[in-house]
Amino acid sequence: MTATDDPLGGVRPGGRRSWWLREVLAAEAPHLGSDVATPPLAGETTADIAILGGGYTGLWTAIRLSELAPGARIVVVERDICGGGPSGRNGGFVTGWWDELPPLIKRFGESEAVRCALALDAAIDELGAFVAANDIDASWERRGFMQVSAAPAQDAAWSAAAAACAQLGFGDRWYGLSAGDVAARAKSPVFRDGAFMPGAGTIQPAALARGLRRVALERGVVIHERTTVERFDPRLVKTSSADGPGVIVADQIVVALNAWAARWPTFGRRLVTWSSYIVLTEPIPDLLADIGWTGGEGIADARFTLHYARTTPDGRIALGGGGGRAGFGGRIGRAFSHDAGSARRAADGLRRWFPSLAGVRIEDAWGGPIDITDDHRPWFGTLPGGRIHFGLGYSGNGVAPAVLGGRILAALALGRHDDEAASLPIVGAAPRAFPPEPFRYLGARAIREAIVRREQAEESGRRPNPIALAVSRLPKRLGYHLGPD
Ligand SMILES: Cc1cc2nc3c(=O)[nH]c(=O)nc-3n(C[C@H](O)[C@H](O)[C@H](O)COP(=O)(O)OP(=O)(O)OC[C@H]3O[C@@H](n4cnc5c(N)ncnc54)[C@H](O)[C@@H]3O)c2cc1C
């Protein structure tokens, strides 16, 4: 492949932190030229509540605990630095669950599904109020989320959810757009009709993660970065770091390890780990104006291996593609961060949406793991014994749900089971298990190939190969709310 037909223009994912995190770390400590990290744990310490993982889930939990139990000793351990994982690398879409209403209704019934969707809207309100109150400069903008059809096979993908919203009296939360409405927000030769969620927004994801870390530290939360959890049981967390082994003797433990939790069999059987990649263009404010995409809304298509894109305050586009790869046995290896093929597919998606940007330089590309459950909803709960609580399985939509997750996990760790958030049906009900390895990995890989082929054929107006079509439908046929019909 020559430099000219490489849509990444020579940029390769992996090897450095996401653009978002580099930007915020440079602002935090310009003189350091390296990451600011709290001291690792070495030796023994105690905690009322030990939190494993320093992404959004762990940090929101720590902050809620500092409010609900002032004086409690809260200790967070993070293998990297806070925000080093997907919380500092994601697309920054902050979206509700109205577009997921039919599967939520199928699982929990109408009133509980609506309660979940309203709780997530409240979490988005809370996120905005929190960043404002704590001077977190994270470019939070509530400009909505638009789903578009980018091929005939995607037309009206949202109609069941929009109809359910309208029928239940929430027709203003997720509603259809005509092709003209879509074009008024962003002109693309492949966009058709779409749907809109006005309550959604975008944020600079790493600035949010680092802002949460700052607030947690200000409130007396102890954070040990560059400290890896090796084992945990209901009383004890064993860690390692460059300074040696560590132990936390804890009364309660919160597991906030996201995709990394899949390494532990209790969680791993109910998760498929998957990579997702983002590409970032150079600043192109004039070209954005030509496209008419100046409203700041996030946009996604209706593929299963969806493309999602948003603009940045300096006029760039960050576009992600869900067409990454499945992981094996819960291991999060280099394929989750160094896979140029997946990043290239994201860049191809950008050029398909906006051919007028073909000459635009890609300045960065990065990837990370997402943890998918059988019906795309997160899973919170407490393990038998009552001391270990967990929140994971965000399935690629975790920015807003982690706010709710922090409330849920803080309540569970304090034994407040009557708490409104902890009584949501996403707490406790385990997602369906996936087949054991190696079948899970081999199945996910084969199905992913089939879905990518099918969706590529549909986008180019070709009839999908019948075998690819049949295999792509397997997850739904087997009762998982994953993959196309
Ligand atoms: C490329 C990409 C794009 C995404 N885009 C969006 C989006 O636009 N909108 C959205 O809502 N969601 C998006 N997501 C998903 C979202 O980023 C996550 O759901 C969310 O960040 C989850 O937060 P978390 O705290 O649970 O996990 P994480 O941020 O992954 O935090 C878990 C932490 O645990 C640490 N850890 C792992 N193992 C250990 C160990 N053994 N010991 C100690 N620490 C450990 C990790 O280093 C990590 O920091 C995206 C994800 C990816 C990868």
Side-chain angles (χ1 to χ4, degrees), residues 256-449:
L257 295 170
N258 191 24
W260 284 270
R263 198 185 114 189
W264 280 275
T266 311
F267 307 118
R269 278 294 303 280
R270 294 171 197 277
L271 299 173
V272 171
T273 53
W274 205 267
S275 66
S276 184
Y277 280 77
I278 292 182
V279 292
L280 181 84
T281 69
E282 62 184 315
I284 47 165
D286 295 343
L287 292 173
L288 286 178
D290 290 347
I291 293 169
W293 187 14
T294 52
E297 57 281 85
I299 305 178
D301 60 22
R303 288 163 51 126
F304 177 72
T305 54
L306 90 169
H307 291 118
Y308 51 94
R310 43 84 53 97
T311 53
T312 64
D314 63 347
R316 300 166 188 266
I317 295 177
L319 182 138
R325 291 175 191 285
F328 181 83
R331 267 176 248 139
I332 308 296
R334 284 170 65 86
F336 288 86
S337 49
H338 286 67
D339 178 11
S342 293
R344 212 173 279 127
R345 270 190 296 281
D348 286 341
L350 176 67
R351 295 198 170 146
R352 179 172 180 272
W353 277 15
F354 301 121
S356 59
L357 305 187
V360 166
R361 210 171 55 245
I362 298 295
E363 286 198 345
D364 216 331
W366 64 88
I370 56 180
D371 53 348
I372 300 180
T373 60
D374 73 315
D375 63 358
H376 261 213
R377 73 187 161 80
W379 177 33
F380 301 94
T382 299
L383 294 185
R387 289 179 186 276
I388 300 176
H389 317 278
F390 59 87
L392 32 80
Y394 292 105
S395 306
N397 173 10
V399 182
V403 184
L404 196 53
R407 283 207 172 278
I408 292 170
L409 292 166
L412 293 180
L414 296 173
R416 299 189 180 190
H417 299 285
D418 55 347
D419 177 275
E420 172 73 14
S423 72
L424 288 169
I426 48 175
V427 181
R432 230 181 117 184
F434 290 104
E437 297 292 16
F439 305 107
R440 181 171 15 149
Y441 170 74
L442 293 173
R445 207 178 130 155
I447 289 166
R448 169 205 172 271
E449 272 309 310

Side-chain angles (χ1 to χ4, degrees), residues 52-58 77-95 227-230 256-260 263-264 276-278 308 366-371 391-392 394-402:
L52 320 186
Y56 299 143
T57 303
V77 276
E78 163 57 48
R79 189 175 82 134
D80 185 359
I81 59 169
C82 291
S87 295
R89 299 186 216 172
N90 63 74
F93 278 62
V94 182
T95 47
T227 302
T228 301
V229 174
E230 301 292 351
L257 295 170
N258 191 24
W260 284 270
R263 198 185 114 189
W264 280 275
S276 184
Y277 280 77
I278 292 182
Y308 51 94
W366 64 88
I370 56 180
D371 53 348
L392 32 80
Y394 292 105
S395 306
N397 173 10
V399 182

Side-chain angles (χ1 to χ4, degrees), residues 146-173:
M146 178 166 77
Q147 189 180 35
V148 297
S149 165
Q154 297 170 27
D155 286 353
W158 49 84
S159 58
C165 288
Q167 195 206 330
L168 294 169
F170 297 97
D172 57 343
R173 312 275 173 127

Side-chain angles (χ1 to χ4, degrees), residues 51-53 76-79 226-232 236-240 248 253 257 263-264:
I51 299 175
L52 320 186
V76 178
V77 276
E78 163 57 48
R79 189 175 82 134
R226 302 205 203 289
T227 302
T228 301
V229 174
E230 301 292 351
R231 299 181 46 196
F232 57 92
L236 225 55
V237 180
K238 294 199 171 174
T239 67
S240 65
I248 312 173
I253 295 172
L257 295 170
R263 198 185 114 189
W264 280 275

